[in-house]
Amino acid sequence: MAKRHRYRSVDKALGTSPGTLTYVGQEIEHATKIKRIEYNEADYHIDDSSKLSACRLPASTTPFVHWLDVDGIHEPQVIDTIGRQYHLHPLLLEDVMNTEQKPKLELYDDTRSGDHRSGGPIVFITIKYLHRGTQRQEIDTEHVSFALGTNFLVSFQEERNKDIFEPVLDRIKASSGKTRRNGPDYLLYALMDIIVDHYFLVMERIGDKMDEMEEQIVQEKAGQYTLATLYTLKRELAYMRRAVWPLRDMIGTLLRGESDLIQPATMPFLRDLYDHVSQVIETLDSYREIIAGLMEVYYSIVSNRMNSVMKTLTIISSIFIPLTFIAGIYGMNFDNMPELHSPTGYFWVLFAMLIIGIGEVIYFKRRGWM
Amino acid sequence: MAKRHRYRSVDKALGTSPGTLTYVGQEIEHATKIKRIEYNEADYHIDDSSKLSACRLPASTTPFVHWLDVDGIHEPQVIDTIGRQYHLHPLLLEDVMNTEQKPKLELYDDTRSGDHRSGGPIVFITIKYLHRGTQRQEIDTEHVSFALGTNFLVSFQEERNKDIFEPVLDRIKASSGKTRRNGPDYLLYALMDIIVDHYFLVMERIGDKMDEMEEQIVQEKAGQYTLATLYTLKRELAYMRRAVWPLRDMIGTLLRGESDLIQPATMPFLRDLYDHVSQVIETLDSYREIIAGLMEVYYSIVSNRMNSVMKTLTIISSIFIPLTFIAGIYGMNFDNMPELHSPTGYFWVLFAMLIIGIGEVIYFKRRGWM
Amino acid sequence: MAKRHRYRSVDKALGTSPGTLTYVGQEIEHATKIKRIEYNEADYHIDDSSKLSACRLPASTTPFVHWLDVDGIHEPQVIDTIGRQYHLHPLLLEDVMNTEQKPKLELYDDTRSGDHRSGGPIVFITIKYLHRGTQRQEIDTEHVSFALGTNFLVSFQEERNKDIFEPVLDRIKASSGKTRRNGPDYLLYALMDIIVDHYFLVMERIGDKMDEMEEQIVQEKAGQYTLATLYTLKRELAYMRRAVWPLRDMIGTLLRGESDLIQPATMPFLRDLYDHVSQVIETLDSYREIIAGLMEVYYSIVSNRMNSVMKTLTIISSIFIPLTFIAGIYGMNFDNMPELHSPTGYFWVLFAMLIIGIGEVIYFKRRGWM
Amino acid sequence: MAKRHRYRSVDKALGTSPGTLTYVGQEIEHATKIKRIEYNEADYHIDDSSKLSACRLPASTTPFVHWLDVDGIHEPQVIDTIGRQYHLHPLLLEDVMNTEQKPKLELYDDTRSGDHRSGGPIVFITIKYLHRGTQRQEIDTEHVSFALGTNFLVSFQEERNKDIFEPVLDRIKASSGKTRRNGPDYLLYALMDIIVDHYFLVMERIGDKMDEMEEQIVQEKAGQYTLATLYTLKRELAYMRRAVWPLRDMIGTLLRGESDLIQPATMPFLRDLYDHVSQVIETLDSYREIIAGLMEVYYSIVSNRMNSVMKTLTIISSIFIPLTFIAGIYGMNFDNMPELHSPTGYFWVLFAMLIIGIGEVIYFKRRGWM
Amino acid sequence: MAKRHRYRSVDKALGTSPGTLTYVGQEIEHATKIKRIEYNEADYHIDDSSKLSACRLPASTTPFVHWLDVDGIHEPQVIDTIGRQYHLHPLLLEDVMNTEQKPKLELYDDTRSGDHRSGGPIVFITIKYLHRGTQRQEIDTEHVSFALGTNFLVSFQEERNKDIFEPVLDRIKASSGKTRRNGPDYLLYALMDIIVDHYFLVMERIGDKMDEMEEQIVQEKAGQYTLATLYTLKRELAYMRRAVWPLRDMIGTLLRGESDLIQPATMPFLRDLYDHVSQVIETLDSYREIIAGLMEVYYSIVSNRMNSVMKTLTIISSIFIPLTFIAGIYGMNFDNMPELHSPTGYFWVLFAMLIIGIGEVIYFKRRGWM
Ligand SMILES: [Mg+2]
Ligand SMILES: [Mg+2]
Ligand SMILES: [Mg+2]
Ligand SMILES: [Mg+2]
Ligand SMILES: [Mg+2]
Ligand SMILES: [Mg+2]
Ligand SMILES: [Mg+2]
Ligand SMILES: [Mg+2]
Ligand SMILES: [Mg+2]
Ligand SMILES: [Mg+2]
Ligand SMILES: [Mg+2]
Ligand SMILES: [Mg+2]
Ligand SMILES: [Mg+2]
Ligand SMILES: [Mg+2]
Ligand SMILES: [Mg+2]
Ligand SMILES: [Mg+2]
Ligand SMILES: [Mg+2]
Ligand SMILES: [Mg+2]
Ligand SMILES: [Mg+2]
Ligand SMILES: [Mg+2]
Ligand SMILES: [Mg+2]
Ligand SMILES: [Mg+2]
Ligand SMILES: [Mg+2]
Ligand SMILES: [Mg+2]
Ligand SMILES: [Mg+2]
Ligand SMILES: [Mg+2]
Ligand SMILES: [Mg+2]
Ligand SMILES: [Mg+2]
Ligand SMILES: [Mg+2]
Ligand SMILES: [Mg+2]
Ligand SMILES: [Mg+2]
């Protein structure tokens, strides 16, 4: 029953100073992969050497959009180095590494940086990439984060599966299309769009599972296992809801223009994203209702079947118990039982039993019990 | 159980560039039908040649209201051409073709158009036209969209049934009434009014079905089928609610005067529309409550009937099992059973059985079990 | 089960131009009755000739408060004439005649009247007059509307019962009290107050019915009928709630001073009305909770009674079935059954049965089953 | 089942002019008791002659805080006289006498008094004093009202119990403490504080009753009576909630500084009061949850016990019915039944019965039914 | 069933003057321990003499952050002395001592102090420190309060366990890190962070208990005890929710910059705290859902098992009762029963019984009852 979706605290981190970088996700053995992509409408460069020296804040005069694609969030020293290069707040880095962090948007304002390393304003976003789990029926979750600056975007993902941002990289390489013509804010949108599109795939799969269960229930083939599956689906939906729900507010914040890093021309695209997220949430809610309905139908079918069984018992017992009593009477051994000596007594009794039995059947039919 | 109302994602669209036009609705074989209607209080012209050349943005000095009525949203190149002519945003066109898009209102501001094709401000509305499904008990859904400009309105609908806007076209032809005297904003209202009026028809039908079920339940003729119908109705209501609910906010946005394209004189009509939508939503909610109530009554009747059956068994068993025991005693074959040899023993035993039976009946009646 | 409270759409009105006057309420045969009352602190005149010529907008210099009391909303041409005389918007008149219209307040601003007939600003209110239905247990509903102008009030009601505003008319005739000293806004308050006071009467009656059902349930005399009554009451409450709920917001709008037609001195009276409406709503909610509680108690009593029945069966069966088995053993016809030939065997068996029976009774008592 | 907490309308008041004073509470025979207390830090005077002549608005130059403590709200002429003396609005007086009025705060602004008697601004508060009912388990309710002016406070309470404000009077007499050093707004706070403190006592008592019921349920001693008590408690909580809930908003209004009659130094005390009211509401909600939980536990225990009973029946019947059948076979009177003539047949059959019985017991144990 | 979490009122405090200091928590015998810590980036001093003379407001020119750590809130005179020294409002001190006070934030503004002792502005916070109870399964609660001034922080905790703020004290001693470089507002954050971190530990433990119960339920080992534990957990969650829920709003108030005492550089840390609190609340909610789900599964398993038992009874009874009836017939003692004298009659009857029995088994299998 889908256990690993429960948030867990970090015992070892208790009492340490805030901002201490700690990785709490699945254990990883690979080294962090880092790609630096620089592009504009005319040209693009890709450095996929994974060297930390490739991570450096672009000059404010650079004609390129600068994208640092970090694949792996389990090495504190790597994250720390990148954070120093791009002037990211220690708490931001903590959230990048904390796979238990729920989705959120945070606006790091330049003027507030105080005693911390100072860069320009930063839009920080962390969301959950959900996809079909490879084994069993789990939803697999990956922790993805973005730090958007004036002329750069740093994206972080867990190093567990293939690079989920490949389609965007391919589009950058392939043509000088929309992505190439726009700034890092459009890039941020394009990457988030991929993640949201995957939510639909997960929904699709849950929907198929639901259809299967509905089939079983309607055809009265449902058993204990059906119910367990419905409960698991219900939990999966609740988990997914918690992962997707904050996104709507996050995008809403950007749409209200609370950060100058988002260009007006990107707004319609963010509105479209907002729309898609709303649709996911709405579908989640309707699925939850449907599952609740299926459970009710299941219980009502089980209860109906039980009722049929009980009715059968009632009818058989109610017919034969009185007849057995009559037979019992004439099985008594009294010396003086006149009926026993009548030559037709036996047949009269059999006839009486028949009449009584038929009478009961008629009575039960009349009351709609048969 | 009404399966097709579940939203489905578009697998093939995964990873494509945003704004790519994709049609996801039912397959259509007809070509798109296009009518261009131009009218004012004095005169009107209709071009129903369905030629794409008829689709062109009217001059800002035109004395006519320009209405482009597009019947068919399944041909990307047609939608794309119209979009270019009327300067509509690619994401708007995507929403026109996406039959899974939930109802929404979007204000495309002129100043924001950035690198996109620039026209005046646009009010974009997409809503669901619901009507009685032709076969079985389904609600049939059509995806309808409107793009309102300063002196034009483009309306899009699926090419599946008759043109739903015919009554308005007839009124334009018939007389120089309210529609002819007003601008494209009033036309938008008039078209939406037709769609909302159809919601009442669908409600009516659901209401009739509900009455039928209530009849069955009250007359104790309800069976497994009744319950299934109630669950289907409940789902239909939930589906309809999701289709109608966003409309209230959409019209509310227009009423707050957020777009200059709506004239003050049109406001009372939009308020009236708002009213009607509120009434649909309220009725939907009351229907949901009634259905929940009917289900409870049904369950309580089933449970009551079961209780009657069980009580009957109890009474028959409780009366005859002890009597059978007595008969059993005098059926034993002991050599020395004095009662057996009494000439009146048999009759005394029969009498005792009668007394015990009657005693039990009285006891059960006293406790209100019979 | 209280069927007529379901809103119904108007099939025939589908596709007609907005503002077309249609009456959808109960069929009426009487002609519309119209009274024109003009009063101030010093004097009053009443014209109850029911002539349409009596309906004319008072001059702005009139020293009188002008009240037009219209009894009957089923004649479109009458409503239309009055509308023209008092410069009322066609959509307002539509709402006056539409008995399915839910309660609402609408402020018709002078500046917005555009191409419509122009008068001063109008406060339009439509509410439901609820009273005890004459036959059976129905709540009877009447559709009442008010149009308040600078120096006049037009009130509309269905022509089905006695004039519900008579007490106010009597107070106007009787003395130069508060009503006579104040303007048409106070008159509007006084008329609405009467309607709200009647809500309390309806509540009272529902409360009495509830007490009756509670009595039946507590005294364990409740049957299928009790439950049906509770469901009917629940529906009545839901219906009444929908009729009363909008009133609170409507009066709240007036209290916020959104219309200049309401004088400051009338405000405390409207606040009092607001209070009463709040009390009705609160009481409705508490009744709903109480009914839900009564149903639960009812179900729990039914279930308890069923449990008693089942327990009795269990005990009787559990005692006598084993004893019957013993009797069955000694009823077998084997040649060699030594016990049968013991002279005291029969008595020993009877004794053993007695011991077993008593043992079971003790066991059941110990477990708290008897 | 705690009937008297249902609000009742006033039939006789139907149709009377608004502001007509009517008392609807319990019948009272005593005369109204009136105390006039005047105090400042240096001195105090008390006039408890109960004469109406003692009720007069203090001069605006008075160095004293003026407190009129009215014990009794059942005499319209007394309330009316006080109202005239202190320039209180007729609707305010109506609310003072209407024991069915729910708690509320009303700010009577000087500028609005219009055609009414004009004094300074008034803060009017009416709340419910709840205390342990003397007989049975009822919560007893008293209707208490306050009218706070610039330099006076009039407090109204029902004349049914002892004066609930005595502790404050005692503190005024005893020392020149906080109350003596502050104005009438602090006095208002101090009086309301006493009422809120009594809510905790009522909660305490409900809590004790709940503990008692919990004890009964956990020790499986619960019966029909326990459930009835839980339902009564639930209703009491609902009633109390309606009485306490409005208080939070009322105090919140004062805390937002909407009336100038409240001095800044009194604010922290009102915040404290707000806190206490919040705590009462929160505790009410948690009690409601606990009661719901107890009911569920109770139902689950009842259901479990029923299940035990049924299982016992099942096991006894399932063991003995087949055995009785075997005995029945050898009780048949066929001429040719070879087994009957075997000298060991009887013993073999007894042995077979024993084996079958033991087999069934083992089967039931294996399935966890015994 | 976790009784002590119910709030209790203070009978003895009824009627006393507001601001009277009363301790209502567990009885304590130790004296209050007081530490005064003064630190800046360069240096630190600790005075742990517990002398009241150590408690004195630092001069406004002090270069140190002044932290007074009070361990013990049960001695009114100690709290009163500290309150006088640091100019804390009597109601603030009342809340410090009142262990029943729910979490809250209060901003004491300088300008409002009126007749009270006047200091600078104060941010007052009181929260609950929750940790694993030492005996049984209780959550143990400690009442913790903070008074933050311009250059000082006073922290209060119950003197029942070890000093919960030791880790922060250790960090101050150990290095001139973040805490030493920042002001008293960062210190306040650091202390609250420790408390919030402990919430995760408590959640962890509840989660483990939940897993254990889930294991029992899934493996069908659940009994009455399992359900009781789930109810206890549900109550613990509800209690914890009430303790944690207000924190979110409290931190939100600080984040909105409503107090100048919070420096901009501390904001990101408070946002992080806000995040953690949100995560606790969200996890609490998801736990509640999971527990509700587990209960439903439990009930459904119990009901299923009961159904199995009943079905078995049905089948055994339905098979053997008719057969016993047949045996009963041939056990009758009529003189004239031809079948009895047939040499093969007995075998035919046995054969018929076999056929009937097999027939019933087949019927039951067909209907899916076996
Ligand atoms: Mg996961
Ligand atoms: Mg996770
Ligand atoms: Mg997308
Ligand atoms: Mg879109
Ligand atoms: Mg569809
Ligand atoms: Mg989509
Ligand atoms: Mg897409
Ligand atoms: Mg309409
Ligand atoms: Mg559907
Ligand atoms: Mg209308
Ligand atoms: Mg049942
Ligand atoms: Mg009606
Ligand atoms: Mg209508
Ligand atoms: Mg219409
Ligand atoms: Mg009234
Ligand atoms: Mg009804
Ligand atoms: Mg009133
Ligand atoms: Mg009550
Ligand atoms: Mg009362
Ligand atoms: Mg009243
Ligand atoms: Mg009245
Ligand atoms: Mg208090
Ligand atoms: Mg306090
Ligand atoms: Mg607890
Ligand atoms: Mg505590
Ligand atoms: Mg308290
Ligand atoms: Mg107190
Ligand atoms: Mg923390
Ligand atoms: Mg931490
Ligand atoms: Mg964090
Ligand atoms: Mg059951």
Side-chain angles (χ1 to χ4, degrees), chain C residues 204 211 271 275 333 335, chain D residues 6 8 101 106 330 341:
Chain C
E204 192 83 45
D211 284 354
R271 275 212 302 271
D275 245 46
N333 298 321
D335 290 353
Chain D
R6 198 144 53 72
R8 295 197 164 276
Q101 175 64 44
E106 209 137 339
Y330 294 106
H341 308 301

Side-chain angles (χ1 to χ4, degrees), chain A residues 173-241:
Chain A
K173 288 178 192 167
S175 78
S176 53
K178 263 197 284 272
T179 312
R180 290 273 291 278
R181 281 197 313 271
N182 283 285
D185 56 332
Y186 185 89
L187 178 63
L188 170 65
Y189 154 73
L191 299 181
M192 287 176 75
D193 186 51
I194 283 181
I195 288 170
V196 171
D197 280 357
H198 275 88
Y199 293 162
F200 285 99
L201 289 185
V202 175
M203 297 299 301
E204 192 83 46
R205 195 178 163 201
I206 293 179
D208 290 347
K209 200 94 199 169
M210 257 167 54
D211 284 354
E212 210 182 289
M213 294 303 110
E214 181 166 354
E215 203 72 1
Q216 286 183 12
I217 287 172
V218 168
Q219 295 177 7
E220 311 229 350
K221 290 178 183 163
Q224 190 72 2
Y225 168 77
T226 312
L227 201 65
T229 304
L230 287 175
Y231 272 105
T232 303
L233 285 176
K234 206 173 149 191
R235 259 201 210 187
E236 295 282 319
L237 287 176
Y239 173 72
M240 196 168 161
R241 199 167 196 278

Side-chain angles (χ1 to χ4, degrees), chain A residues 60-288:
Chain A
S60 65
T61 57
T62 178
F64 289 102
V65 172
H66 177 104
W67 172 21
L68 193 75
D69 183 22
V70 183
D71 236 14
I73 56 172
H74 53 289
E75 294 178 299
Q77 74 288 5
V78 172
I79 301 300
D80 190 57
T81 307
I82 294 171
R84 276 169 209 281
Q85 282 296 328
Y86 291 83
H87 301 310
L88 306 175
H89 197 285
L91 289 170
L92 185 159
L93 300 176
E94 203 185 45
D95 289 345
V96 164
M97 291 189 67
N98 179 8
T99 54
E100 299 300 325
Q101 175 63 45
K102 59 171 198 170
K104 73 166 177 180
L105 168 115
E106 207 136 341
L107 304 177
Y108 284 89
D109 198 347
D110 199 14
T111 63
R112 271 205 188 146
S113 46
D115 66 315
H116 291 290
R117 292 155 295 176
S118 162
I122 295 286
V123 172
F124 174 65
I125 283 174
T126 174
I127 58 181
K128 298 293 174 194
Y129 168 60
L130 304 179
H131 53 101
R132 321 184 179 207
T134 40
Q135 72 283 59
R136 288 201 296 154
Q137 62 177 333
E138 289 289 336
I139 294 173
D140 203 359
T141 309
E142 248 178 78
H143 185 64
V144 177
S145 308
F146 303 101
L148 172 72
T150 322
N151 54 6
F152 68 88
L153 178 76
V154 188
S155 64
F156 300 92
Q157 58 180 296
E158 296 183 46
E159 210 295 287
R160 286 204 286 125
N161 297 281
K162 68 179 205 314
D163 185 339
I164 53 185
F165 297 141
E166 254 176 38
V168 172
L169 192 55
D170 290 347
R171 291 209 302 257
I172 288 177
K173 288 178 192 167
S175 78
S176 53
K178 263 197 284 272
T179 312
R180 290 273 291 278
R181 281 197 313 271
N182 283 285
D185 56 332
Y186 185 89
L187 178 63
L188 170 65
Y189 154 73
L191 299 181
M192 287 176 75
D193 186 51
I194 283 181
I195 288 170
V196 171
D197 280 357
H198 275 88
Y199 293 162
F200 285 99
L201 289 185
V202 175
M203 297 299 301
E204 192 83 46
R205 195 178 163 201
I206 293 179
D208 290 347
K209 200 94 199 169
M210 257 167 54
D211 284 354
E212 210 182 289
M213 294 303 110
E214 181 166 354
E215 203 72 1
Q216 286 183 12
I217 287 172
V218 168
Q219 295 177 7
E220 311 229 350
K221 290 178 183 163
Q224 190 72 2
Y225 168 77
T226 312
L227 201 65
T229 304
L230 287 175
Y231 272 105
T232 303
L233 285 176
K234 206 173 149 191
R235 259 201 210 187
E236 295 282 319
L237 287 176
Y239 173 72
M240 196 168 161
R241 199 167 196 278
R242 281 195 298 279
V244 179
W245 185 261
L247 232 79
R248 189 150 58 172
D249 272 357
M250 287 159 58
I251 303 173
T253 301
L254 294 179
L255 283 174
R256 280 194 307 278
E258 297 201 4
S259 168
D260 293 338
L261 296 177
I262 309 295
Q263 304 299 322
T266 306
M267 287 296 178
F269 294 94
L270 283 177
R271 278 212 300 270
D272 193 58
L273 196 62
Y274 185 91
D275 246 45
H276 289 189
V277 170
S278 301
Q279 194 137 315
V280 173
I281 290 171
E282 195 179 272
T283 311
L284 279 170
D285 288 349
S286 77
Y287 279 16
R288 199 164 50 173

Side-chain angles (χ1 to χ4, degrees), chain A residues 171 178 189 200 204 211 214 271 275 279 286-287 290 296 304 310 325 332-333 335-336 339 369, chain B residues 1 6 8-9 15 18 100-101 104 106 224 231 242 306 312 330-333 340-341 343 346:
Chain A
R171 291 209 302 257
K178 263 197 284 272
Y189 154 73
F200 285 99
E204 192 83 46
D211 284 354
E214 181 166 354
R271 278 212 300 270
D275 246 45
Q279 194 137 315
S286 77
Y287 279 16
I290 291 174
E296 269 190 72
N304 260 311
M310 297 305 293
F325 164 65
M332 291 195 294
N333 298 321
D335 290 352
N336 182 20
E339 302 95 315
W369 296 355
Chain B
M1 275 201 215
R6 197 143 55 70
R8 296 199 162 272
S9 70
E100 299 300 324
Q101 175 64 44
K104 73 166 177 180
E106 207 138 340
Q224 191 72 2
Y231 272 104
R242 280 195 299 280
M306 191 60 207
T312 305
Y330 295 105
M332 293 194 293
N333 299 320
L340 295 181
H341 308 303
Y346 172 54

Side-chain angles (χ1 to χ4, degrees), chain D residues 171 178 189 200-201 204 211 214 271 275 279 286-287 296 304 310 325 332-333 335-336 339 369, chain E residues 1 6 8-9 15 18 100-101 104 106 224 231 242 306 312 330-333 340-341 343 346:
Chain D
R171 290 209 302 259
K178 264 195 284 272
Y189 153 73
F200 284 99
L201 289 185
E204 191 83 45
D211 283 355
E214 181 166 354
R271 276 211 302 270
D275 245 46
Q279 194 137 315
S286 76
Y287 279 15
E296 269 190 71
N304 259 312
M310 296 305 292
F325 164 64
M332 293 193 294
N333 298 321
D335 289 354
N336 182 20
E339 302 95 315
W369 296 356
Chain E
M1 275 199 210
R6 200 145 51 72
R8 297 197 163 273
S9 71
E100 299 299 324
Q101 174 64 44
K104 73 166 175 177
E106 209 138 339
Q224 191 72 0
Y231 272 105
R242 281 195 299 279
M306 190 61 207
T312 304
Y330 294 107
M332 292 193 294
N333 298 321
L340 294 180
H341 308 301
Y346 173 53

Side-chain angles (χ1 to χ4, degrees), chain E residues 109 116 137:
Chain E
D109 198 347
H116 291 289
Q137 62 176 333

